[in-house]
Amino acid sequence: MYTQLLFLVCIAGYCVPVFGYPNGAISDSCDTMLPRHGNNILQTSTPPYNISVSRTTFSPGDVITVTIQSSSSGFKGFLLQARSVGGNRIVGSFTSTNGNSQQLNCGQPNTALSHTNNNIKTSITANWTAPTGVGPLRFRATVLSSYSTFWQVESDILIALQISNDACGSEKFCLSSPANCSPNNTNCMFMSSVPSADGYVFEMSGPTSGYLAIGFSDDQLMGNDDVYLCTVNSSGNILVQRAFNTGRSSPTILTTYTSASVVTRSVNGILQCSLITQTSISTQTRATAGSSYYVFLANGDSQENGQILKHATRPIISNTRVDLSSFLSSGIQIGGNRVILAHGALMLVAWMTTGTIGMIMARYMKSAAGKPFLGKALWFQVHLFLMILTVILTIIAFIMVFVEVSGWVNGAHPVLGCIVMILSFIQPIAAFFRPDPKSERRFIFNWGHSINALVIKVLSVATIFLGLQLIDTSPTLWLSKVMGGFFAWEVLFYIILETNMRIKTKEVKENSENKIASETIAVVVFICGNLAFLISLLVGIGSS
Ligand code: HEM
Ligand SMILES: *[C@@H]1O[C@H](CO)[C@@H](O)[C@H](O)[C@H]1NC(C)=O
């Protein structure tokens, strides 16, 4: 096995392969790609070599032919690797070699290629297989014309044919709604960005037959934004353009990218564009081009000629400035806008705590809290108070989000939320007009009120889950997990309380006045747990 061989040592024209570098030493060369010769000097003049690739796009598993070519006097040695553009990770594997080259182990088998002899070569060709879970990549080689003279060269950037969220946070910055969604999903709005030496690689994906736009801005308002558009015209052609938002009107088109630097796709109603830019981002009002911007993501319809119309909904806006040069720290995703977070917090208090406890009072505490209080049974007063509080909190939260989000956001959350709102309004209104307890028709109210309550309960749980996904920015989606824990806790106590109630109705009530009822204990324990879940979710939302 020659996998430990990296560079040949040549003395007086006689070359011996250097074997058995200690592992640490070989990974040194793997990382820096510099030969471990004594006095090595990296040449900074224009390299007499270049790397060409058979394709500039890839899907996982694709085999790509890579060639190192000399433009003048040839080369003696080389080390070739594929590197992710974001993060500079060694990726993929070399599959076939010939007598002049051999595969090396740089962390994984076959991740690098080098020479086997010091004959002068004018070109070297190898096959390389693309891995999964990588963003844009490029080939990089160190090429030696002699023992101490060498250059480093890079190929063009290769971009993924299909946009995915695989390398988000590790090799590219991603902004998406719902948070962390996969661009294959029909409701996923997605963009990613990777800085390269002279510009960026951008990806955008989303459900539209019109256009997608990403924007970079110094504030969270439209206007003075550097914009990249992916537009379909009526002939079905997809155009990728750079534009500038001067105000809140149709952006001015600046450049149309040629097919050499873009990849476009439109499948099952999802439009996707990837592009390689060779410019820095510029918002014209800024004196110096930095790399921290608010990021926008929008979609909408386009006219026949491909000119864009106003976005169909309010665009997605990042909640902080994003440092596009350090995609690794991309914790921030969807606009965890304060008003939207407050909406979420109020809804949680209303539906996890006040509403739930209010319903439990009415169903299970009738006998344990049956003593009169201010003229009515205690359970009823608590139920009434908590339910009115729930409705008030819901209305405030609803109005907040309605004012803040002037359009309809993607997905089922707002639809379910509206249904829950309407059904909840029916509850107090029907309760107000309920028949007298002795009336023959009272049972209709009782059944209707309970069934509606159950439907509201189920739908509200679903709505909260979907809503949390919209604001959960953690990669582990822990908010949804805590919510799942709360839901399990709730179901457990419903079972306990329901069983307790059935047993009790069978027993002859020897009402022991001074003993605390078992349901009271259960409800108190439930409320404590409930508050613990609520507080951890609120803390989670607060840090979103
Ligand atoms: C024909 C094209 C466009 C028109 C006529 C337009 C118009 C508007 C208007 C009137 C608003 C104010 C809020 C509202 O009424 O909903 C707005 C908001 C917004 N637009 Fe556009 N827009 C267009 C394209 C774009 C593009 C390409 C982007 C970049 C991604 C963008 C980003 C935004 C953002 C982030 C907001 C929300 C922040 C704000 O209110 O300023 N717009 N747009
Ligand atoms: C759509 O774009 C293509 C490419 O730019 C162009 O050739 C074609 O004429 C356009 N179609 C319409 C209807 O504008």
Side-chain angles (χ1 to χ4, degrees):
M1 282 290 283
Y2 281 0
T3 52
Q4 298 273 301
L5 164 98
L6 192 58
F7 283 93
L8 299 172
V9 169
C10 303
I11 302 153
Y14 184 77
C15 291
V16 287
V18 178
F19 288 97
Y21 272 143
N23 279 338
I26 207 149
S27 63
D28 264 11
S29 286
C30 278
D31 287 352
T32 60
M33 299 188 73
L34 295 175
R36 310 230 318 128
H37 301 157
N39 56 338
N40 50 45
I41 305 146
L42 176 64
Q43 303 296 307
T44 50
S45 58
T46 311
Y49 313 109
N50 69 63
I51 309 179
S52 60
V53 283
S54 59
R55 285 170 46 188
T56 53
T57 60
F58 68 91
S59 296
D62 280 359
V63 175
I64 288 169
T65 307
V66 199
T67 308
I68 303 177
Q69 184 86 41
S70 160
S71 56
S72 56
S73 56
F75 54 93
K76 289 182 170 174
F78 68 91
L79 178 65
L80 173 66
Q81 291 175 352
R83 297 278 185 130
S84 61
V85 176
N88 209 17
R89 180 168 62 96
I90 304 171
V91 292
S93 58
F94 291 92
T95 49
S96 77
T97 54
N98 53 40
N100 282 332
S101 62
Q102 63 177 328
Q103 291 127 301
L104 296 181
N105 181 332
C106 278
Q108 300 287 320
N110 309 329
T111 41
L113 200 74
S114 77
H115 54 267
T116 51
N117 57 56
N118 75 332
N119 299 342
I120 291 183
K121 300 163 262 284
T122 52
S123 79
I124 199 101
T125 298
N127 283 342
W128 174 87
T129 308
T132 55
V134 65
L137 55 92
R138 63 184 2 153
F139 290 90
R140 177 179 294 168
T142 302
V143 190
L144 294 86
S145 67
S146 71
Y147 180 67
S148 59
T149 312
F150 59 92
W151 284 263
Q152 277 190 338
V153 287
E154 286 184 339
S155 72
D156 288 340
I157 293 175
L158 279 72
I159 47 187
L161 211 49
Q162 288 162 38
I163 297 178
S164 87
N165 60 350
D166 281 347
C168 287
S170 62
E171 293 180 1
K172 58 191 187 186
F173 165 78
C174 303
L175 177 79
S176 65
S177 172
N180 305 317
C181 63
S182 159
N184 295 326
N185 282 350
T186 44
N187 70 345
C188 179
M189 285 286 287
F190 178 93
M191 72 76 68
S192 79
S193 147
V194 178
S196 70
D198 39 12
Y200 290 89
V201 181
F202 295 129
E203 294 178 322
M204 49 187 134
S205 172
T208 182
S209 53
Y211 75 94
L212 294 171
I214 53 178
F216 299 95
S217 179
D218 289 321
D219 53 32
Q220 289 182 302
L221 296 177
M222 182 178 172
N224 281 325
D225 321 314
D226 194 352
V227 172
Y228 299 83
L229 294 169
C230 168
T231 328
V232 194
N233 72 12
S234 60
S235 344
N237 290 70
I238 304 175
L239 286 174
V240 182
Q241 291 167 313
R242 186 182 189 188
F244 193 76
N245 280 342
T246 314
R248 283 172 170 173
S249 56
S250 194
T252 317
I253 306 291
L254 302 177
T255 340
T256 301
Y257 290 94
T258 60
S259 58
S261 53
V262 305
V263 173
T264 63
R265 245 161 63 100
S266 174
V267 192
N268 301 330
I270 301 178
L271 180 64
Q272 297 193 327
C273 287
S274 304
L275 67 148
I276 302 172
T277 73
Q278 263 148 24
T279 45
S280 56
I281 291 168
S282 123
T283 56
Q284 294 170 4
T285 47
R286 201 192 264 213
T288 49
S291 60
S292 284
Y293 296 90
Y294 289 102
V295 183
F296 302 158
L297 177 58
N299 65 357
D301 290 333
S302 55
Q303 288 169 339
E304 291 201 344
N305 61 4
Q307 170 145 12
I308 71 165
L309 298 170
K310 189 185 162 189
H311 27 86
T313 57
R314 184 187 160 87
I316 293 152
I317 306 170
S318 67
N319 55 344
T320 53
R321 282 174 204 270
V322 172
D323 182 358
L324 295 170
S325 67
S326 78
F327 55 88
L328 289 168
S329 64
S330 70
I332 339 97
Q333 296 217 316
I334 166 90
N337 160 316
R338 273 170 211 289
V339 177
I340 293 181
L341 293 182
H343 158 88
L346 284 183
M347 287 296 196
L348 274 184
V349 172
W351 290 90
M352 271 182 73
T353 305
T354 61
T356 307
I357 298 171
M359 287 193 201
I360 283 185
M361 291 305 290
R363 184 155 177 86
Y364 302 111
M365 295 296 286
K366 280 195 180 119
S367 71
K371 292 204 187 104
F373 178 76
L374 298 179
K376 290 245 162 88
L378 178 61
W379 72 263
F380 178 77
Q381 300 291 40
V382 177
H383 171 71
L384 186 68
F385 170 74
L386 289 177
M387 293 330 271
I388 289 175
L389 189 59
T390 304
V391 171
I392 291 173
L393 291 175
T394 310
I395 291 173
I396 296 173
F398 190 78
I399 293 173
M400 278 173 100
V401 83
F402 211 79
V403 171
E404 181 65 19
V405 182
S406 51
W408 200 246
V409 299
N410 285 317
H413 174 79
V415 181
L416 276 181
C418 283
I419 296 175
V420 171
M421 276 296 283
I422 293 166
L423 293 182
S424 331
F425 272 124
I426 296 177
Q427 287 297 77
I429 294 169
F432 188 77
F433 293 109
R434 68 188 181 277
D436 189 80
K438 285 162 212 130
S439 155
E440 271 182 14
R441 286 172 298 143
R442 172 69 179 219
F443 81 97
I444 303 177
F445 166 77
N446 286 352
W447 273 98
H449 202 66
S450 311
I451 291 174
N452 198 25
L454 184 68
V455 172
I456 291 173
K457 184 77 226 170
V458 172
L459 291 184
S460 69
V461 169
T463 314
I464 292 177
F465 265 113
L466 292 171
L468 284 178
Q469 277 172 25
L470 290 173
I471 56 177
D472 193 349
T473 54
S474 65
T476 51
L477 290 177
W478 74 273
L479 283 183
S480 305
K481 286 180 187 154
V482 173
M483 184 63 202
F486 163 69
F487 189 53
W489 177 256
E490 200 177 353
V491 169
L492 175 73
F493 276 85
Y494 272 113
I495 294 172
I496 293 174
L497 288 165
E498 195 71 20
T499 322
N500 179 60
M501 187 170 74
R502 308 247 151 155
I503 294 169
K504 279 219 164 162
T505 46
K506 279 183 201 150
E507 278 172 7
V508 187
K509 280 189 200 152
E510 319 149 355
N511 218 344
S512 45
E513 295 261 317
N514 16 359
K515 234 172 74 187
I516 303 170
S518 49
E519 59 263 37
T520 311
I521 299 169
V523 168
V524 169
V525 174
F526 172 73
I527 292 175
C528 292
N530 182 304
L531 290 177
F533 279 111
L534 178 71
I535 289 166
S536 56
L537 283 176
L538 291 180
V539 168
I541 291 182
S543 61
S544 227

